[in-house]
Amino acid sequence: MPSALAPGLYLVATPIGNLRDITLRALDVLGHVDLVLAEDTRMSRRLFDAHGLLPKCTAYHEHNADKRREKVLGELEEGARIALISDAGTPLISDPGYKLVREAARRGIDVFAIPGPSAALAALTVSALPTDKFFFAGFLPPKSAARQRALERFVSIPSSLVFYESPARIEASLADMAEVFGPRPAALARELTKRFETLYRAPLDQLGALIPEDEKRGEMVVVVGPPDENTQWDTEQVDQALREALTDQSLKSAVDEVTQMCGLARREVYRRALDLRQSS
Ligand code: SAM
């Protein structure tokens, strides 16, 4: 360690799979702090063993954080050097720590970032989708109706969207995304940096079908490209096309036809078609 470690809270990023994805500075900090707060101490032990570290380590996770926080803050106020790590990647990113950092900041305790891996950024960079602007959406609600409502709030965001998803829900989530966003380009990054790392890139409506049954497990990130403003029709164009299609087609086939052309989600086209039919 080049200079003594200052008192404060250290947010240390750890690997998302490959145990060698850890910075030299992270190793320095984990080797010199007074205490490491870890989401799962057994998981962290694997990391410590791989790098010959023997820090004092205690559990800090969503179930005990409210109880532990006050004691940790007290120790920090007395000048302790404490690191926070999660099971994988950057702490606080869909992981515990936000309230601890907020309270530390409020009390004037120094908080230091020790940056490193995060699955969101790793997936975004390999997705081959625009990286100049992106929106990190974290985990979606588990139930379909709530998930679709959540997705609808993201429809008009003019940037790539990054989602964490569990393998148990990936199929249903991709189907909901295809319904709400239409056939936007997308990517699914699975088991990044690990032995069975895989990456699929396809329009949202085809992505689910590409994933073999035996790969619907492991850790996954879904990246969805931004809406294509060049191919997306405005509402007047959509309504005009629907009016014409509805003169000689059923509601369903009119909606299918216009959805194919307009670059909007089927759901949105369907809603407009219903409005038109009611007002005619
Ligand atoms: N704090 C972590 C980070 O910075 O990436 C994320 C923690 S969150 C509880 C765990 C989710 O991250 C997983 O469900 C998955 O969506 C994603 N994830 C973590 N590791 C991954 C990996 N190696 N490959 C793909 N996705 C991963």
Side-chain angles (χ1 to χ4, degrees), residues 16 88 90 93-95 118-119 139 164-165 191-192 219-221:
I16 57 169
T90 301
I93 305 303
S94 295
D95 268 332
S118 183
F139 285 100
Y164 286 162
E165 191 46 285
E191 295 285 271
L192 285 162
E219 307 212 75
M220 300 171 176
V221 182

Side-chain angles (χ1 to χ4, degrees), residues 49-185:
D49 288 349
H51 295 286
L53 298 166
L54 281 168
K56 186 176 162 207
C57 182
T58 182
Y60 188 88
H61 45 65
E62 59 175 327
H63 306 294
N64 74 356
D66 283 344
K67 266 206 337 234
R68 295 241 44 214
R69 195 175 305 117
E70 201 45 52
K71 182 160 184 290
V72 171
L73 288 162
E75 288 171 18
L76 285 165
E77 281 178 317
E78 281 166 21
R81 292 105 27 106
I82 298 182
L84 174 70
I85 62 175
S86 54
D87 286 353
T90 301
L92 278 80
I93 305 303
S94 295
D95 268 332
Y98 162 64
K99 288 183 185 162
L100 180 61
V101 170
R102 185 182 61 184
E103 193 53 26
R106 203 183 65 79
R107 298 187 191 191
I109 296 164
D110 284 333
V111 182
F112 303 101
I114 311 296
S118 183
L121 287 184
L124 176 70
T125 51
V126 295
S127 69
L129 294 166
T131 54
D132 55 337
K133 282 185 280 210
F134 65 92
F135 182 95
F136 175 64
F139 285 100
L140 287 163
K143 298 225 171 91
S144 185
R147 185 161 57 226
Q148 292 202 0
R149 277 198 302 279
L151 289 170
E152 273 162 20
R153 287 201 289 273
F154 304 139
V155 168
S156 54
I157 295 177
S159 50
S160 294
L161 307 172
V162 181
F163 299 93
Y164 286 162
E165 191 46 285
S166 95
R169 292 193 286 269
I170 190 69
E171 236 168 313
S173 278
L174 287 175
D176 285 343
M177 287 182 196
E179 178 156 353
V180 175
F181 297 140
R184 285 197 208 169

Side-chain angles (χ1 to χ4, degrees), residues 27-42:
L27 294 177
D28 283 345
V29 169
L30 292 174
H32 287 82
V33 284
D34 304 305
L35 176 68
V36 176
L37 305 174
E39 220 188 332
D40 178 340
T41 52
R42 268 186 323 179

